[in-house]
Every structure is written in C-alpha cells, then in structure tokens.
Amino acid sequence: MKKILSLFFLMAIVLPGWSQKVKWLDEMNLKLMSCGWSTPQVNKSVGGNPLKVNGATFNRGVGTHAVSTFLINLNKQATTFNTQVGVDDEATNNASIEFIVMADQKVLWRSGVMKKGEDPKTCQIPLNGKQKLGLVVLSGESNDNDHADWLNAKIVYSGATPIAIGNVISEKPYILTPASSPAPRINGAKVFGAHPGNPFLFKVPVTGVRPMTINASGLPDGLSIDSKTGIITGTTPAKGEYRIKITAQNKVGKATRTLKIVSGDLLALTPPLGWNSWNCWGLSVNQDRVKASADAMIQKGLIEHGWTYINIDDGWEAPSRTADSILLPNGKFPDMKALTTYIHSQGLKMGIYSSPGTRTCGGFLASYQNEVQDAKTWAELGIDYIKYDWCSYGWIAPNPNLEELQKPYIVMRKALDQCNRDIIFSLCQYGMGNVWEWGAKIGGNTWRTTGDIGDSWDSMSGIGFSQTQDPKCTGPGHWNDPDMLVVGKVGWGPSLHNTHLTPSEQYTHISMWSLLASPLLIGCDMSQLDAFTLNLLSNDEVLAINQDPLGVKASRVKKADGVEIWMRPLDDHSYAVGVFYNGKGSGDPTALFNWSNSKSTKTVKVSLSDLKLKGKYQVRDLWRQKDTGITNQSKTVEIPYHGVAFLKFTPVK
Ligand code: GLA
C-alpha cells in the first residue's frame, strides 16, 4: 500500500499534468454569478444565442452582462485559469466591456476595454497557491447592451474541485423603522402639481387607526374630498397656487398639514412614488399580477405612506393593431379599463410603457408613427404615467446625434399635450447624450440616467454612487431616474427570488435614492412583501426626504477611506446627510468582492466642516426616527459594511 502511495506521490511531482483535472466555468453554479441584466447562460450568450464573437462561434463558455462578478474558492489547488473573452455579436454597436481576472485581492489580468467586432482576447493565468479567484466584467465607455462572453473558460486544478462561493455577505434582516403611531399622521407630498381643466386625483396619505375623518378646508371650486378615504377628486382649477388645510382625526388624536396644490404647467413637483412590474415579472406580467400588487399596496398600508403609481411595463401589448391603428392590450390583460377604474377608485394611479421605435425592448409592438393615436388611447384608458423607452429607435437612428436623440421624445410630448389628461412623461433612454442636461427642456418629467439595474451590490451601488450630475439639472417637475428599486422578491420573469442585496445594502439603496430625489418605483411582487421589505418602504421620515418640496438632489461632499458622504438641502432649512460605508472606493475592482466574508462596521466622525456647515445642529437618525443630540462640531456614527447612517441636521439656536 505504502509503495502505491509513494508511486502516486512521485508521479504527481514528476508529471505535474498527471493528476490534473479541469473544471469548466460553464459547469459551475452560475446562480452565484451576478449579472447586470437577465441571467448568465451556459454555452450561450446572455441573450440565449450561440456564443459568437466577431463571427467565430464557440461551443463552450458563459454569456453574461456587465456588471458581472463571480467568486470561486480554489483552495490553493488550482494551477491555471484559461479563457478567451469578447463582446458577443448579439450586442448593439455601442457595447463596450472590460474583463478582469483577480485572485486574493490582486488584479492578475485585464482585457482593456473591448468593443463589438473585435477578436476575442486570450488570458492564461497561473493560479498556484491562490485561495480565491474573482472574475469581473465591467462596462466600458457606456453601460448599455454589454453582452459579455467568457469563452472556453476553465480552471486546471488538482485535488479539491474549485467551487463557486458567490459574493454574498450573510446578514440577517434588521428592522429600523418604528411602527406607525395609532394617532393620525399625514404623509406623502406636501406639494402637488396639476394642469388646469384636467381631471384631478390626489389621495391624502394618512397613517393611524381607522375609522378616521380626513377633511380639507380651502379647496377651490371644482374639487372635493371624500372624508373617509382622503381622496380629492374633481377638475383642476384655474392656474394658481391653492393652500389647503388637511385635518385627519381618529379616536386617538388629530393631525393637520398644509397641502399646496399648484395648478399650472408642471406635474411631478415631487418624484413619483409607486410600483412597476418589470423588476419582478418582466414580460410575464399579467392583469392578475398587477392587481395583486395594487391590492397589496392598499392592504399592507403602503398607500398611506404616499406610494401611488401602479405601472405596467413591457409585455402588455397586443400582437397587432386594430384596423384603425389602435394598440390594444394582449390576452394577458382581459380588461385593462376595469383595472384602471379600480386603481383610480382607490386613489392610486396607473402607468403604462411603450417605445418610440417599431418594437419595444421585449419585442412587442411600439409607437413609431402611431404616437398621437397611442397617447389618445392611453388618455382614454385613464393612464397617468407613460414610460417611453428607446428600443428599436436605434434602427431608425443608428448613430443618433443630439437632435435625433431628442426627436422621438418631442414627438410623443406633442402627442401627450393633445390629451386633456395629466400624464407623467418618463424618458427611458439610459442617459444617452447626457439627457439630464436637456430632458426638462423637451418636456420630460423623469429620465433614466443609466442602463438597467440588477439586484446586486455592484449594479445598485455602481449606479447610485455615480449620480454626480449637477443638481441644477433636476428639480420640481424634472427628475433623474437611476432606475427602479431592487428590494423584495424580484426576478424579471415568472420565477422570483429574494433580492441579492443584503439588508444593509437595501438601507443604502433606499437612502441613496431618497437623497437623489429619484422616482421610487418598487420593483418586487408586493403580494409577497416580507416584514423587512415592508418596514423598509414605510419610513415616513425617509420618504419625506425623497419628497422634499425644495427638490434639490444630493451631491457628494466627501469620499475617503471607503466612506462616501452625500448631502441635500431641504425646504425647512435643514439638511439630509447620508454617510455610506462602501468598502474600498469605486475604481478599485478588487473591492467588488467580499473576499473574506467578514462583515465589519466602521466608525465615522462626520464633522460639520465636512458638510460645510457652521453653527449648532440637532442630528436625527432618520431610519430610527430618533434625535441623537445637538452638536456644533461633529457626529460620530457606526455604519455596517455596505450600509448607511441616514441623518438630518436641523439648525438650532
Ligand atoms: C428596457 C428598460 C427596462 C424595461 C425593459 C422592457 O430594458 O430599461 O426598464 O422597461 O426595457 O423591455
């Protein structure tokens, strides 16, 4: 026996290749690979086609989409990692990607930025003695359509098999938002814009036990309130500002607040709050699923925190237009009118989706050359929000200049202006041509600033912390949209999973989007809301930052030692401040991995000079809804890894 063992040992030393085995990337657990859009595919591109780079087809490999990360435990048993990499031919021409291979917190190889039409690059990296291998795909020049292929990717090893370990930090959900008081509290927007003469709908959101009476004094002629529900309806009065005193009373107490109704040219005086079907159901959206989320918004009380819009994304459209060019819903929406009527009866609002090309991103019929008809159809249906994508307009304008980028949105704007209905116009062209610099001018209420979000830290934090646009580009009526929320059960298709964001990362997500004055569109199936997610979405002090009437988006005031501080001024002369512990600064790709799964916290001293503030301030913890003391110097906070301290600094005498 001893002899056999020694022979084995000798062969392993003399003939290193003798005991070597191969683990292909496509054989590993790709559920643990993060992917910026859709899901990683075995031996196929991320779009489900054969792997093909610059005309050459490959039988083996993994198709993914930037930003993508994959962490593998090698157990010091691997000798090499071999792969070819490239942009898949199915990507559009503006795709640009960088592949990075790293091990044990060191970058070992970078492809450099690669574009569509380039030959694959080859990477052969020794891995002797390495514990963990990290594979990354980053977006190159823009983050659009980055379909990335790892081709013939394999790890050569001996001994224990390399195993995917994912890039997760284990963290138990922790609840921060205190329960709502039984006494009335009036929440939501303090200022609401509407066009004169159009149908008016605004529900005053109020938490507190029922029964409750909600009254409004000072309502202009043409508007009335249902005192049981707090829903104000009627016809928007003539141009002007109307200050309404809202009173809510139940057996425990009474609350009052002023609501300013501004009848004029602007809608969305605060960022829209609501739900959208895309991040959960993708193209498998249907009427029952939309209704279930609307019902949950009501039954779980989110409606009383100001959540309003129920937006149907792509996948509702019939396969062909009627003889008179009307685009009706497909069979998955047997009675869209009844759904809209129901939604309005609850004080909620309804949104829909289309594209300016001939097809939507999901391949459904879109609005090209039917804009006036489509806007009219939506207005008649009672639609309150239109998300207007870009997809397939690229066929009409393949290399668009600024004028061509703006054109389809100007056409739809004109069509919407012919309808006597308040419809929020949401541009979804991923930030092309710095849309934030001109989106307001061409009549957009919101505009996407980035490609699609995914439910990973890389994607969410990559988007959130890059929103450094000049705050002057946004404001009441006009908002940057860094895409929808990825909390709760998401999936972009019929099967859903819990978001891959940790609880701390989710607090970061909601805090950051509130600081940025972004639309907040919940992206999960609300009928499956768990206690943590519900609590996360029900914090009125956090939502009040998002809905602040001043409407100034936050700017980054400091970035050092893995910590970023973002800050925005508020209408009441206080400041909202987010102190985020991101780990290493962005720009260092090794920071994309949680190499040791050690979850640490960081103690950060936020000094008033960091915030360019002078004087004395009360500091309030917004998530815990607690004052934490007065200072004229600094505030020290303890922040979980990838988490946040979300603070409000209010001047005191
Ligand atoms: C694009 C958008 C998504 C979603 C899909 C629908 O990818 O960015 O938000 O609307 O289209 O196909």
Side-chain angles (χ1 to χ4, degrees):
M1 183 65 182
K2 243 186 179 175
K3 268 191 188 159
I4 298 174
L5 276 179
S6 347
L7 186 69
F8 183 86
F9 200 61
L10 199 71
M11 284 176 77
I13 293 172
V14 180
L15 305 168
W18 181 79
S19 61
Q20 287 192 336
K21 294 176 266 186
V22 165
K23 185 76 183 173
W24 294 85
L25 194 65
D26 53 77
E27 295 169 338
M28 304 191 87
N29 181 3
L30 296 179
K31 282 198 179 131
L32 298 174
M33 178 182 274
S34 80
C35 180
W37 174 81
S38 192
T39 45
Q41 302 289 317
V42 174
N43 303 333
K44 281 194 210 138
S45 68
V46 71
N49 297 307
L51 293 161
K52 204 169 176 193
V53 175
N54 201 19
T57 307
F58 294 78
N59 294 330
R60 288 205 94 145
V62 172
T64 186
H65 190 290
V67 176
S68 174
T69 56
F70 198 42
L71 193 61
I72 299 162
N73 197 348
L74 303 171
N75 271 317
K76 302 191 179 171
Q77 309 273 313
T79 47
T80 52
F81 175 61
N82 303 307
T83 190
Q84 285 176 284
V85 294
V87 180
D88 196 278
D89 285 0
E90 76 184 1
T92 53
N93 287 342
N94 47 346
S96 67
I97 298 168
E98 184 173 26
F99 295 80
I100 305 176
V101 177
M102 54 188 99
D104 298 345
Q105 305 197 48
K106 288 212 172 71
V107 171
L108 304 181
W109 183 81
R110 299 182 86 125
S111 67
V113 173
M114 296 184 72
K115 297 208 168 154
K116 188 179 160 181
E118 278 180 35
D119 283 339
K121 288 192 181 168
T122 302
C123 155
Q124 200 167 24
I125 294 293
L127 292 176
N128 303 303
K130 304 288 187 212
Q131 183 65 41
K132 284 178 189 166
L133 173 70
L135 304 181
V136 172
V137 185
L138 293 180
S139 284
E141 286 154 13
S142 70
N143 58 353
D144 185 27
N145 222 267
D146 294 336
H147 295 225
D149 295 340
W150 296 98
L151 304 160
N152 292 326
K154 61 182 182 189
I155 298 165
V156 181
Y157 71 101
S158 52
T161 316
I163 179 165
I165 46 175
N167 188 24
V168 288
I169 307 156
S170 45
E171 190 183 54
K172 289 218 174 74
Y174 53 99
I175 299 263
L176 293 182
T177 307
S180 294
S181 151
R185 183 193 146 105
I186 304 172
N187 303 307
K190 292 180 178 156
V191 48
F192 180 71
H195 293 323
N198 283 359
F200 185 97
L201 175 65
F202 180 85
K203 178 184 161 21
V204 181
V206 191
T207 45
V209 290
R210 271 37 186 191
M212 187 184 287
T213 311
I214 306 170
N215 283 316
S217 67
L219 272 179
D221 283 351
L223 295 185
S224 61
I225 188 164
D226 176 329
S227 62
K228 276 211 187 83
T229 59
I231 299 175
I232 304 174
T233 50
T235 300
T236 306
K239 251 189 181 187
E241 283 189 15
Y242 302 86
R243 282 171 192 275
I244 318 299
K245 190 173 162 208
I246 308 281
T247 308
Q249 187 155 20
N250 64 9
K251 66 175 184 211
V252 197
K254 185 172 165 181
T256 57
R257 190 157 108 171
T258 303
L259 168 70
K260 192 163 88 179
I261 295 174
V262 184
S263 170
D265 298 332
L266 288 181
L267 304 179
L269 294 182
T270 62
L273 298 181
W275 174 84
N276 173 292
S277 58
W278 183 250
N279 288 353
C280 44
W281 299 120
L283 297 175
S284 70
V285 63
N286 63 36
Q287 186 165 315
D288 290 346
R289 286 174 170 164
V290 174
K291 166 101 174 16
S293 272
D295 282 339
M297 191 177 264
I298 300 157
Q299 283 154 17
K300 301 194 178 180
L302 286 170
I303 190 171
E304 304 301 349
H305 298 281
W307 299 94
T308 305
Y309 288 92
I310 299 291
N311 292 354
I312 303 170
D313 208 282
D314 202 357
W316 63 270
E317 310 88 338
S320 54
R321 289 179 178 267
T322 63
D324 39 4
S325 289
I326 297 176
L327 181 54
L328 294 173
N330 58 38
K332 293 190 292 160
F333 290 85
D335 197 345
M336 188 89 99
K337 183 75 192 168
L339 180 62
T340 315
T341 306
Y342 167 71
I343 280 172
H344 288 157
S345 72
Q346 304 297 313
L348 298 176
K349 299 192 178 187
M350 176 87 161
I352 212 163
Y353 164 98
S354 191
S355 279
T358 51
R359 294 274 158 188
T360 65
C361 299
F364 286 78
L365 273 188
S367 295
Y368 185 56
Q369 292 185 335
N370 289 286
E371 295 84 356
V372 172
Q373 178 57 62
D374 286 357
K376 189 165 169 263
T377 310
W378 299 328
E380 281 165 6
L381 195 59
I383 294 298
D384 309 291
Y385 188 120
I386 169 74
K387 170 175 173 183
Y388 207 43
D389 217 314
W390 171 262
C391 277
S392 87
Y393 199 80
W395 303 342
I396 295 152
N399 292 305
N401 56 27
L402 192 58
E403 198 186 323
E404 286 167 314
L405 281 176
Q406 296 178 346
K407 191 171 164 194
Y409 296 100
I410 294 173
V411 171
M412 182 49 84
R413 175 73 267 166
K414 280 196 183 134
L416 292 171
D417 288 343
Q418 292 174 36
C419 310
N420 294 321
R421 192 165 178 86
D422 290 0
I423 302 178
I424 303 258
F425 189 30
S426 153
L427 280 46
C428 178
Q429 49 81 290
Y430 332 118
M432 287 185 291
N434 291 356
V435 62
W436 49 91
E437 289 167 4
W438 48 265
K441 208 172 68 201
I442 61 152
N445 295 114
T446 74
W447 45 81
R448 281 270 296 275
T449 53
T450 72
D452 289 10
I453 198 168
D455 62 321
S456 67
W457 168 253
D458 315 337
S459 172
M460 184 278 290
S461 66
I463 288 177
F465 294 104
S466 62
Q467 302 301 302
T468 51
Q469 305 89 347
D470 186 343
K472 287 196 195 79
C473 298
T474 67
H478 311 291
W479 310 104
N480 277 351
D481 171 7
D483 208 1
M484 302 172 290
L485 302 178
V486 279
V487 302
K489 280 214 186 307
V490 293
W492 294 269
S495 58
L496 305 184
H497 61 261
N498 286 324
T499 177
H500 292 134
L501 297 183
T502 65
S504 291
E505 291 168 354
Q506 294 179 63
Y507 282 114
T508 289
H509 188 15
I510 305 296
S511 308
M512 192 61 187
W513 267 236
S514 297
L515 279 162
L516 292 171
S518 310
L520 297 179
L521 292 170
I522 302 169
C524 64
D525 175 12
M526 291 201 289
S527 70
Q528 297 186 58
L529 271 182
D530 56 289
F532 171 80
T533 314
L534 182 59
N535 181 271
L536 185 73
L537 300 171
S538 306
N539 191 313
D540 296 309
E541 295 196 19
V542 168
L543 294 173
I545 303 300
N546 176 271
Q547 293 292 298
D548 187 69
L550 200 58
V552 178
K553 112 183 216 305
S555 301
R556 183 165 54 207
V557 293
K558 192 171 178 185
K559 182 176 171 185
D561 306 325
V563 174
E564 294 199 19
I565 303 181
W566 289 67
M567 177 178 180
R568 66 180 279 194
L570 301 171
D571 194 47
D572 64 359
H573 306 292
S574 61
Y575 297 87
V577 175
V579 190
F580 298 92
Y581 175 28
N582 293 348
K584 286 194 210 161
S586 57
D588 174 1
T590 65
L592 290 168
F593 290 104
N594 179 35
W595 295 97
S596 58
N597 197 28
S598 68
K599 190 174 70 71
S600 50
T601 58
K602 180 135 181 148
T603 306
V604 182
K605 189 167 150 192
V606 184
S607 60
L608 292 187
S609 63
D610 288 338
L611 308 177
K612 314 241 171 349
L613 296 182
K614 279 200 182 110
K616 242 201 251 171
Y617 288 83
Q618 172 64 260
V619 184
R620 189 163 174 84
D621 180 327
L622 291 167
W623 279 110
R624 293 178 180 80
Q625 302 186 348
K626 251 194 203 142
D627 285 339
T628 65
I630 292 174
T631 182
N632 58 4
Q633 295 289 323
S634 63
K635 178 77 202 162
T636 299
V637 281
E638 179 108 337
I639 314 174
Y641 184 65
H642 286 181
V644 58
F646 197 14
L647 308 171
K648 184 169 171 179
F649 283 68
T650 306
V652 287
K653 294 254 158 67

